[in-house]
Amino acid sequence: MPTSSGRTFEKLRPADGSLLCHVARSDAVDVDRAVAAARVARADWAARTPVERGHLLRSLTLALQARREEFAKLVVEETGKSLELALAETDAAIEMGFFVAGEGHRLYGRTTTSAMPNRTVMSMRRPVGVAALIVSFNTPLPNYAWKTFPAVFCGNTAVLKPSEHTPASASFFAELCQEFLPPGVLNVVHGLGPETGAPLVEHEGVDLVSFTGSAATGRWIQERAGRRLAKVCLELGGKNALVVCDDADLDRAVEWSLASAFSNAGQRCAAASRLVVFEDVYDEFRERLVEGARAYETGPLISEDSLVRILAALDGADVVTGGERLDRPGWWLAPTVLENVPADGDLSCRELFGPVTILYRVGDLDEAIELVNDSPYGLTSAIHTANLHRAMGFADAVQAGVVVVNGGTHGSEPHMGFGGVKQSGTGWREAGVEALDVYTEWKYVNLIADPAKT
Ligand code: NAD
């Protein structure tokens, strides 16, 4: 839908900087219109049974599956990532759709005991109301799916604010949803963060704000939505660490480190931006990692701004490899490895969201755990070791929402809850049945069947 002002902005292709499309630049008037539509649709949608909402979601997901390649090609254009990666993400979002649709036949509550005779107590989930869903650009379809599917399935109506960097996939997703969902259930507002996202966060008609993005934006959202005590779920950044012990399978550890640090040009909340390596294997690991980094084919960054910001952050750092813009159109940064960065230095604490990782040298596991936990973030983590005690000791002590043994610093599968501790989030978990807690409120129903018996 065109904006009330008729204003637009340009979306450029990250791979070569050429113009992809003009995008509606929504403002507070457009946001108000979208929230009004969501409020009108709310009661009828909430009154449908979970089974029916699950069926609609399954039909929508099947349609998405049928058009997966079309969708993935749009993602390639607007992000510059490979088709292989875009297809894998699309498939992950499709799985999410099927997983949530299956909840139509569950959405369990509980029954519990009572101190009072003749009383039955049950809990049931109820929708929250109108949900504002604000997301990042990095994996467009999973980002829409992780929020939109559970939000609408649970009986909420929603206003989705996609990233300004991924308007093409967002329009495609919105059009597909319109085919299956009643009018007003999902509304999409394109635009820039401060002009479109901010009025959405501050809108009195929004009952829940679910946000995926940077800690800086998340902090602002928490403050503003907190003023009216709206429910707020924040999924934020990471400075994720992968530990390589002296008994690790080094080939695998290098392979997983490269994929964790550089896939999707390091634009993953779960990217391994810190590699913590035992002294005894440090030199060998470093040599193999650098060789791998030089050969690694990663995609472009999402914008010129992002590239300029990261290059400025690298100024003066001890660069082992990379650290420079590639000589080609678009926003390409060579896979970059740093070392000799102090554990409490700015580069160790700040998420760059690009293909940059830092090597650290440690003497033993205790030192590794101390270093890993010395971070404002706590999203994902990994350890490579052949020793069960080390693996379990690390899993127990690490401050992170996800731990992986002998793999990468992953995200999540649709049936697994995903989220972090400290500044990586506010305690909620997305995906899995845990997502239902974000998009529903519990109601406790007390039933005294025979009043005469109380
Ligand atoms: P960002 O915070 O700049 O933007 C995220 C979204 O918020 C965009 O849609 C943007 O337009 C909007 N926005 C910006 N300012 C706003 C405001 N004042 N009010 C409301 N909305 C506003 O983040 P980004 O650069 O798009 O994404 C990168 C960040 O996202 C990284 O920190 C990354 O780790 C994080 N991320 C986290 C997860 C997770 O699950 N924890 C997943 C993906 C990305």
Side-chain angles (χ1 to χ4, degrees):
M1 197 189 286
T3 60
S4 58
S5 69
R7 290 199 306 162
T8 59
F9 65 94
E10 289 186 341
K11 161 65 192 172
L12 308 180
R13 291 182 182 85
D16 61 10
S18 63
L19 178 67
L20 176 63
C21 57
H22 287 95
V23 188
R25 192 166 163 175
S26 312
D27 59 20
V29 175
D30 307 303
V31 167
D32 195 41
R33 210 161 52 178
V35 174
R39 291 203 79 78
V40 168
R42 206 171 44 135
D44 282 353
W45 182 241
R48 302 210 187 190
T49 65
V51 174
E52 186 185 357
R53 291 196 298 260
H55 283 158
L56 286 171
L57 182 53
R58 191 174 56 199
S59 304
L60 164 61
T61 307
L62 285 167
L64 191 58
Q65 193 171 40
R67 299 180 69 178
R68 63 189 276 281
E69 288 196 19
E70 215 179 316
F71 199 103
K73 283 178 184 160
L74 282 179
V75 172
V76 170
E77 291 266 305
E78 67 185 3
T79 64
K81 67 179 71 180
S82 69
L83 182 61
E84 188 190 1
L85 205 54
L87 278 170
E89 284 173 17
T90 305
D91 290 343
I94 289 164
E95 279 307 306
M96 183 68 176
F98 288 131
F99 174 75
V100 177
E103 276 305 307
H105 293 108
R106 291 182 293 266
L107 202 65
Y108 296 132
R110 289 182 298 182
T111 58
T112 187
T113 56
S114 169
M116 190 189 290
N118 192 37
R119 183 162 81 153
T120 304
V121 183
M122 10 182 201
S123 63
M124 46 185 74
R125 292 186 184 272
R126 286 289 175 260
V128 181
V130 172
L133 312 174
I134 305 175
V135 295
S136 165
F137 65 84
N138 62 333
T139 52
L141 186 54
N143 290 0
Y144 312 145
W146 254 239
K147 292 197 189 299
T148 306
F149 291 165
V152 300
F153 164 72
C154 287
N156 304 285
T157 54
V159 179
L160 172 66
K161 152 72 181 86
S163 167
E164 53 274 36
H165 299 298
T166 60
S169 60
S171 292
F172 185 105
F173 181 74
E175 280 163 26
L176 200 66
C177 288
Q178 303 311 335
E179 282 179 33
F180 293 90
L181 302 175
V185 170
L186 178 67
N187 309 273
V188 177
V189 281
H190 290 283
L192 307 177
E195 292 176 5
T196 312
L200 184 58
V201 167
E202 301 204 276
H203 201 294
E204 291 287 334
V206 167
D207 304 293
L208 159 68
V209 181
S210 179
F211 170 78
T212 295
S214 65
T217 309
R219 191 172 287 115
W220 185 88
I221 289 175
Q222 179 86 308
E223 282 174 18
R224 305 304 281 232
R227 289 183 186 178
R228 64 173 195 285
L229 299 178
K231 188 174 181 181
V232 179
C233 161
L234 302 179
E235 302 296 339
L236 309 173
K239 195 77 186 178
N240 312 292
L242 183 151
V243 174
V244 182
C245 299
D246 51 7
D247 59 348
D249 176 334
L250 273 202
D251 286 337
R252 295 277 172 279
V254 169
E255 208 176 296
W256 279 114
S257 298
L258 290 167
S260 298
F262 302 135
S263 73
N264 205 16
Q267 298 168 121
R268 294 168 55 242
C269 55
S273 43
R274 297 186 295 154
L275 302 176
V276 179
V277 186
F278 277 34
E279 175 79 54
D280 287 353
V281 291
Y282 185 91
D283 291 339
E284 193 180 345
F285 179 85
R286 177 187 187 276
E287 195 181 316
R288 292 200 215 174
L289 182 84
V290 168
E291 192 186 329
R294 290 190 176 134
Y296 201 93
E297 285 186 29
T298 189
L301 291 163
I302 196 68
S303 66
E304 175 89 32
D305 279 357
S306 190
L307 178 59
V308 168
R309 175 181 54 78
I310 295 174
L311 285 171
L314 295 179
D315 191 29
D318 187 345
V319 176
V320 183
T321 186
E324 33 178 47
R325 184 175 193 158
L326 296 185
D327 185 20
R328 56 189 293 183
W331 305 303
W332 301 75
L333 178 68
T336 300
V337 178
L338 310 177
E339 68 181 351
N340 298 318
V341 177
D344 59 353
D346 179 57
L347 278 173
S348 290
C349 302
R350 180 150 52 114
E351 183 191 41
L352 294 181
F353 219 54
V356 181
T357 194
I358 308 173
L359 279 168
Y360 302 86
R361 198 188 284 261
V362 290
D364 58 23
L365 187 61
D366 287 344
E367 203 184 325
I369 290 170
E370 196 180 324
L371 197 150
V372 172
N373 286 344
D374 184 14
S375 170
Y377 293 106
L379 192 53
T380 70
S381 60
I383 184 168
H384 283 249
T385 179
N387 184 309
L388 184 62
H389 297 281
R390 280 178 168 172
M392 291 312 290
F394 180 78
D396 189 44
V398 72
Q399 296 165 359
V402 179
V403 186
V404 179
V405 176
N406 293 327
T409 48
H410 283 310
S412 182
E413 293 180 42
H415 58 288
M416 303 172 188
F418 180 73
V421 301
K422 300 197 275 187
Q423 291 181 25
S424 292
T426 44
W428 299 98
R429 292 293 178 264
E430 291 210 294
V433 288
E434 290 87 334
L436 303 175
D437 292 333
V438 176
Y439 299 103
T440 58
E441 306 282 15
W442 281 112
K443 181 179 278 182
Y444 289 84
V445 178
N446 295 258
L447 177 69
I448 297 163
D450 184 350
K453 286 193 182 161
T454 54

